[in-house]
Amino acid sequence: WMQAVAIWTGDNTATWEHLQSTAPMLLSLNIGALSFVGADVGGFFGNPNAELMTRWMQAGAYQPFFRGHAHHDSQRREPWMFGEETLHRLRRSAIARYALLPYFYTLFHEASTTGMPVMRPLWMQYPTEEILFPIDDEWLIGSDLLIKPVVEPGVTKMKVLFPPADRWYDVDTMERMPSTTVEIPELVVDCPLDKIPVYQRGGSIIPRKLRLRRSTQMMIADPYTLFVALDGNGLATGRMYTDDEHSFDHKSGRYASALLEMATCQLSNSVSHQGLTELDSSVNPGMIERIVIMGFETEPSSAILTTTGAKLQFLYEQDANVLVVRKPNVSMLDNWSIQFQ
């Protein structure tokens, strides 16, 4: 039962030192098969200033258990208490987290069935890279998101260690980061107060829900956007999992899962299990409203939904090598493929 409960790191304090200690503690818990863990954002005791609150919110958005919590004697710290500029920064962090809930949900399902943690040290994904063994100020969410939070005041540039075995794409700009090597695995990146360095691994596909809602309950029927990050061979894979989001009926097979693959300029979806009822499918049809492909090096002449022969609309950004397919009219609950020519 300990694998299912939410655990926090104790009554921490609103200091930079306690923010710095958060990642090592959470990684240790995840290695021990306790995935649903987090720290009180902003610190439980004391009063964080706007910069500390911003950096803590940015880090917390990419940790499994994400909550704000404080002692009753602490000053109020709702996002609007820090001024308009900080309000927008904190809101942006919360939006990023809510958008990633489909990815987190898939990872928590994986954790419940295989024991693989949601928040992972770098060596877990790259067990032969000795240079990654001591790293505890960066982490992976699943195998596909690399996070390096800012945990010191006044920092606007810092070094990020990129596992050299893979390509990495900035999740904000969607541009590919320069390649690294085992000898020189670090890059200096810009990290003004508006930004937390987060990168998607080349070879991965991550689902997000981008519409702003007041609650997760209101997000259930929202469509997905797929973010495809190509590796050096033009390949990518990803998984999606969904169920009714409130009962334990998934244990008896009432859920859906699918494998997404990009290969030879074709993106395909293969449903590996479809146990949802007709009512489930009407509530959450699993529709995909947009596909964003990073690292697509030449503009295609067409995008064709092979199951129907329909030609799909797309935009291509030459400078960033990003291809965006709009309104493909496909669902994660169906088998389909899109061929780029």
Side-chain angles (χ1 to χ4, degrees), residues 91-130:
R91 184 172 184 263
R92 185 181 176 189
S93 295
I95 288 172
R97 171 52 174 252
Y98 276 77
L100 278 169
L101 286 181
Y103 181 58
F104 271 99
Y105 205 68
T106 299
L107 291 175
F108 270 104
H109 175 258
E110 180 184 0
S112 70
T113 55
T114 70
M116 281 296 289
V118 173
M119 181 177 175
R120 303 173 187 175
L122 303 189
W123 57 258
M124 186 169 286
Q125 186 68 22
Y126 305 94
T128 63
E129 299 289 349
E130 293 186 19

Side-chain angles (χ1 to χ4, degrees), residues 141-163:
I141 292 297
S143 60
D144 301 335
L145 282 181
L146 174 67
I147 295 91
K148 174 69 181 285
V150 177
V151 294
E152 295 179 351
V155 172
T156 57
K157 289 180 181 291
M158 69 176 178
K159 290 182 179 180
V160 176
L161 193 154
F162 291 89

Side-chain angles (χ1 to χ4, degrees), residues 275-313:
L276 296 179
T277 66
E278 184 176 341
L279 176 61
D280 294 329
S281 300
S282 65
V283 172
N284 179 14
M287 297 303 295
I288 296 169
E289 67 174 347
R290 188 183 300 105
I291 300 169
V292 180
I293 305 177
M294 295 167 272
F296 207 100
E297 296 183 352
T298 57
E299 182 176 2
S301 59
S302 64
I304 299 175
L305 181 61
T306 60
T307 48
T308 65
K311 291 186 176 181
L312 305 179
Q313 296 179 339

Side-chain angles (χ1 to χ4, degrees), residues 38-94:
D40 292 344
V41 171
F44 180 71
F45 294 113
N47 304 302
N49 60 23
E51 183 185 11
L52 177 57
M53 190 67 190
T54 298
R55 293 305 195 188
W56 213 319
M57 188 82 162
Q58 290 172 344
Y62 294 94
Q63 294 166 353
F65 182 38
F66 177 41
R67 73 162 182 174
H69 184 52
H71 190 269
H72 61 81
D73 287 333
S74 297
Q75 296 174 3
R76 300 200 67 86
R77 58 178 70 169
E78 288 85 356
W80 52 86
M81 300 298 294
F82 296 91
E84 192 73 16
E85 193 172 3
T86 300
L87 167 63
H88 288 299
R89 292 186 179 119
L90 301 182
R91 184 172 184 263
R92 185 181 176 189
S93 295

